[in-house]
Amino acid sequence: MPSLSLGEAIHEYRISNNLSQKALSEKLPIDRTVLSRIENGERELAASYDSVVAGLSWKLALAIADERTGGFISNILDDVPNLDLHPAALKDVLLKELGEAEAALEGLVVAKHIDPEKRRESAERVWQEMRDVIEKAVVLQGVLEEEFGLDRKRLAQKHEMEVKRGER
């Protein structure tokens, strides 16, 4: 399934939040006609607006990450449109993915004397399982932000400081 373009994601956000183009353009701030062209795919959103747009919604942040990284960070909401976004359901999915990643890591063949093709296959499995974990975890983070009114920017800064102090 093709991913939504960033313009389409912005349009969906605007409609789902009952915002006019004028109201959203004032929030960004961007000229309304420019916003219209972005939503219609006639113009790209300038990267300088990424942080403002990402701050509106975790779903938009995910769409920006998908588009700007060329899919390195993919938007699983496009790939799995029926993903149950209830925190309990996401918790179960994430725990399943973590178990699969753990099994892949335990099976990781790193010994140099083992067949290189087997080592590569093992590494690819770990990579795929880690990607599954990352995608589901990012969605769960967004759902938790939304459901509990968590401030992503503050939490990210707090996490970064804890990492720098060696507390994580």
Side-chain angles (χ1 to χ4, degrees):
M1 171 183 244
S3 294
L4 285 180
S5 72
L6 187 48
E8 291 168 322
I10 291 169
H11 176 78
E12 281 191 8
Y13 168 82
R14 184 177 63 75
I15 297 303
S16 68
N17 286 278
N18 297 317
L19 294 170
S20 66
Q21 282 184 337
K22 183 175 180 354
L24 182 56
S25 68
E26 290 170 357
K27 277 184 153 190
L28 292 179
I30 195 170
D31 186 82
R32 190 207 57 77
T33 59
V34 172
L35 176 61
S36 175
R37 283 191 236 128
I38 291 168
E39 286 185 355
N40 292 324
E42 298 166 11
R43 183 172 177 168
E44 298 264 329
L45 176 71
S48 59
Y49 288 97
D50 285 359
S51 64
V52 175
V53 173
L56 295 173
S57 156
W58 65 272
K59 290 178 183 177
L60 286 173
L62 191 54
I64 289 169
D66 186 11
E67 188 160 305
R68 300 293 193 223
T69 66
F72 181 75
I73 299 171
S74 67
N75 189 346
I76 192 172
L77 299 177
D78 288 343
D79 298 335
V80 186
N82 297 324
L83 183 65
D84 186 346
L85 297 181
H86 188 277
L90 286 170
K91 178 191 81 165
D92 290 342
V93 168
L94 184 56
L95 288 172
K96 175 186 161 286
E97 297 295 355
L98 285 166
E100 291 172 3
E102 180 182 22
L105 283 166
E106 286 174 0
L108 182 61
V109 178
V110 292
K112 296 276 187 196
H113 66 280
I114 303 294
D115 173 26
E117 187 55 34
K118 289 211 181 290
R119 292 177 66 223
R120 181 180 176 79
E121 289 171 9
S122 180
E124 283 185 12
R125 180 168 179 240
V126 169
W127 190 96
Q128 295 288 347
E129 295 302 337
M130 295 307 301
R131 174 120 182 198
D132 288 343
V133 168
I134 291 165
E135 289 175 345
K136 273 55 168 221
V138 167
V139 170
L140 181 54
Q141 279 183 312
V143 168
L144 293 173
E145 289 172 14
E146 200 172 78
E147 183 146 328
F148 297 101
L150 302 179
D151 181 342
R152 177 185 334 133
K153 188 173 182 177
R154 182 188 66 78
L155 289 172
Q157 289 171 339
K158 179 181 177 185
H159 183 268
E160 184 179 333
M161 291 307 298
E162 290 173 357
V163 168
K164 286 180 179 177
R165 290 192 303 259
E167 297 170 358
R168 293 196 158 271

